[in-house]
Amino acid sequence: MRSILAIIIIALMMTGCKSEAISNTPTVQPSELTIIEPNEQPNRVREKVVIYNLKNADGSKAAIETIYQTITEADLVDVFKQTFEEAEPLKGIVKMAAPTYKVIIGSSEYYLLIGDDKTDSIVNLDDSHTMFRLSPSNTIKIREILSWSEPEKVVEGLVMDKKVINQNNSYRVLIATNWTKQEKNTMDEWIEKAEQKHELAWYEIDKEVYLKLNISQPIAVRAANMQLDSLPPIRFAITVQIIEPEVVASSLYLNLIEEELYNQQLLLTPIRPDKEWILDGIKPSRYTVSPLNNETDSTRLEQLSIYIFNSKQQLEEGLKDFQKQTELINMLYPRIYKLNNAMIFYWAHGNMEETAKLSSYFEKAVKLLLEK
């Protein structure tokens, strides 16, 4: 089985020879580093990253610089910018290796030193006395980009599942790729289709991005060209872009909620009531609800409404709409649970001062759904 470590091993083959000296003489002026498209206004400048391969950078001979890569893809430019911004300064006296690359981002110039371990280092030419260490995950991203003869393609997909791997504190999302808005499938149908076409894979991503993603959310991923041979395979994401900031109103998210409630041993039976509360134009899915394998008098069954809004903002507007519609009505109010852009009304018997018999089921289900 190949592992992400293989990426590091390949990149280490590019390591330059060591020396204590670093040349600080820039050869490319900042004015050469921007691209202005013919049809763009001069103040709309697209950044790029220019990477030079260095030879004789140990100071023993005149340094030779040749262009190694020019990166114009916005997401990859952001990888370099974020990686260098997050680099931590090394304390004390540090023996510097000869730099392998010079990296120019906008008006800033850096030396990139490929390390012998899982981390690389940079030196800002404006402060050549300080070395900064890249994080292991950012090192993998930079080494992967350096190994490309051309950028890996961006693929779009839907988030099908999420999980945290506690052994190595990694964050993974299951993505079904080649998704289109025109197709309307359930979550099971999407997974089955993706498995058949080998378009289902786990992607290891940064924690900050993981926490922003929700099940059924469309995203775009640019990944490393190597993967772990598992079913589904495991890939390392270089960039992740959220296509839509909120979870879309779709049957996927409704199915996910239904599945989790079933996992909590609740039986949902769809019904069509004569009257339903329509909130901000959204009509809910209505069910009777009862514990699994527990016979309940059909006349005593409690009910459930699940609303899937287009956004969290619309959810709040829907809640205000419900309060406005019911402010003059004497009625039993539902227990309300909010999760992302979904809202659950649990129509329990008894008033709000009483403990509803199924409250613990819903509380656990909502907690688990919010963690996904």
Side-chain angles (χ1 to χ4, degrees):
M1 178 183 292
R2 291 174 294 178
S3 67
I4 293 175
L5 182 60
I7 302 172
I8 297 174
I9 294 173
I10 292 172
L12 285 174
M13 295 172 63
M14 304 166 65
T15 306
C17 54
K18 294 186 177 180
S19 171
E20 295 184 6
I22 293 181
S23 173
N24 291 339
T25 306
T27 60
V28 178
Q29 298 302 316
S31 60
E32 299 175 37
L33 304 178
T34 57
I35 300 175
I36 299 179
E37 299 295 340
N39 296 327
E40 289 185 345
Q41 298 297 322
N43 62 337
R44 296 185 62 188
V45 177
R46 180 156 57 94
E47 286 186 292
K48 68 176 180 178
V49 175
V50 180
I51 303 171
Y52 287 83
N53 196 4
L54 300 180
K55 292 183 179 180
N56 303 330
D58 58 0
S60 59
K61 299 179 183 179
I64 300 174
E65 300 180 357
T66 55
I67 291 182
Y68 181 73
Q69 280 183 340
T70 300
I71 297 171
T72 58
E73 291 78 10
D75 60 327
L76 298 180
V77 171
D78 287 341
V79 169
F80 275 87
K81 292 173 65 177
Q82 182 176 344
T83 294
F84 287 13
E85 288 171 1
E86 293 176 352
E88 296 288 338
L90 295 176
K91 298 180 180 179
I93 300 174
V94 180
K95 184 177 180 180
M96 294 186 179
T100 312
Y101 303 99
K102 182 159 74 174
V103 180
I104 304 179
I105 310 172
S107 60
S108 299
E109 301 187 11
Y110 304 86
Y111 280 145
L112 173 61
L113 296 81
I114 302 299
D116 291 330
D117 52 11
K118 295 182 180 180
T119 57
D120 295 338
S121 304
I122 59 170
V123 175
N124 189 323
L125 296 192
D126 289 335
D127 181 14
S128 60
H129 299 291
T130 305
M131 181 182 287
F132 294 81
R133 177 64 55 83
L134 309 186
S135 69
S137 63
N138 283 337
T139 293
I140 292 175
K141 292 179 183 179
I142 296 300
R143 293 184 183 184
E144 174 66 19
I145 295 172
L146 290 172
S147 72
W148 293 343
S149 57
E150 60 182 38
E152 291 293 312
K153 293 181 179 179
V154 175
V155 297
E156 294 186 2
L158 284 180
V159 177
M160 294 288 139
D161 199 2
K162 300 172 63 180
K163 66 179 178 180
V164 179
I165 309 301
N166 293 322
Q167 299 93 307
N168 56 1
N169 198 31
S170 62
Y171 298 82
R172 294 176 185 171
V173 290
L174 184 65
I175 307 296
T177 56
N178 291 336
W179 161 84
T180 61
K181 285 185 177 181
Q182 287 71 31
E183 295 185 69
K184 303 297 182 182
N185 294 320
T186 66
M187 183 170 291
D188 289 340
E189 289 170 342
W190 273 116
I191 292 177
E192 182 180 0
K193 177 185 175 184
E195 285 180 329
Q196 290 174 350
K197 295 187 176 183
H198 305 287
E199 295 171 346
L200 189 70
W202 287 101
Y203 288 82
E204 190 164 315
I205 64 175
D206 293 335
K207 178 181 179 181
E208 294 74 15
V209 179
Y210 178 91
L211 295 175
K212 294 177 182 178
L213 295 178
N214 298 298
I215 304 297
S216 82
Q217 190 157 36
I219 65 171
V221 182
R222 195 194 296 269
N225 58 18
M226 298 185 69
Q227 65 184 28
L228 296 179
D229 291 330
S230 60
L231 291 175
I234 302 172
R235 298 169 182 161
F236 187 87
I238 304 301
T239 65
V240 177
Q241 296 173 298
I242 299 175
I243 297 176
E244 299 182 15
E246 304 290 347
V247 182
V248 294
S250 68
S251 60
L252 289 175
Y253 202 47
L254 178 62
N255 290 346
L256 182 72
I257 295 171
E258 293 174 338
E259 289 170 9
E260 188 56 51
L261 292 173
Y262 182 83
N263 291 339
Q264 298 307 317
Q265 304 300 303
L266 289 178
L267 175 63
L268 304 186
T269 303
I271 58 174
R272 292 184 178 180
D274 295 333
K275 184 181 183 305
E276 187 57 271
W277 299 102
I278 297 176
L279 307 181
D280 201 44
I282 300 297
K283 186 176 181 180
S285 298
R286 186 84 166 218
Y287 314 81
T288 58
V289 57
S290 62
L292 283 173
N293 304 320
N294 188 356
E295 294 186 6
T296 304
D297 183 353
S298 59
T299 62
R300 294 293 300 163
L301 286 175
E302 296 179 320
Q303 294 189 14
L304 178 73
S305 299
I306 302 178
Y307 292 84
I308 306 293
F309 294 92
N310 294 320
S311 66
K312 293 178 183 178
Q313 182 179 358
Q314 189 189 24
L315 182 150
E316 296 301 331
E317 293 301 320
L319 188 56
K320 291 178 183 177
D321 191 8
F322 178 69
Q323 293 167 346
K324 183 177 180 180
Q325 291 185 49
T326 60
E327 61 184 352
L328 299 179
I329 301 175
N330 184 15
M331 57 178 281
L332 286 175
Y333 279 83
R335 275 71 171 171
I336 299 176
Y337 304 91
K338 296 189 290 184
L339 55 154
N340 299 315
N341 65 318
M343 184 160 59
I344 298 174
F345 281 8
Y346 167 34
W347 301 93
H349 297 318
N351 56 45
M352 298 296 289
E353 287 73 29
E354 300 176 5
T355 301
K357 66 179 182 179
L358 300 181
S359 289
S360 60
Y361 295 84
F362 286 103
E363 289 166 4
K364 186 175 181 180
V366 169
K367 181 177 182 295
L368 290 172
L369 285 165
L370 287 173
E371 291 174 354
K372 291 187 175 183

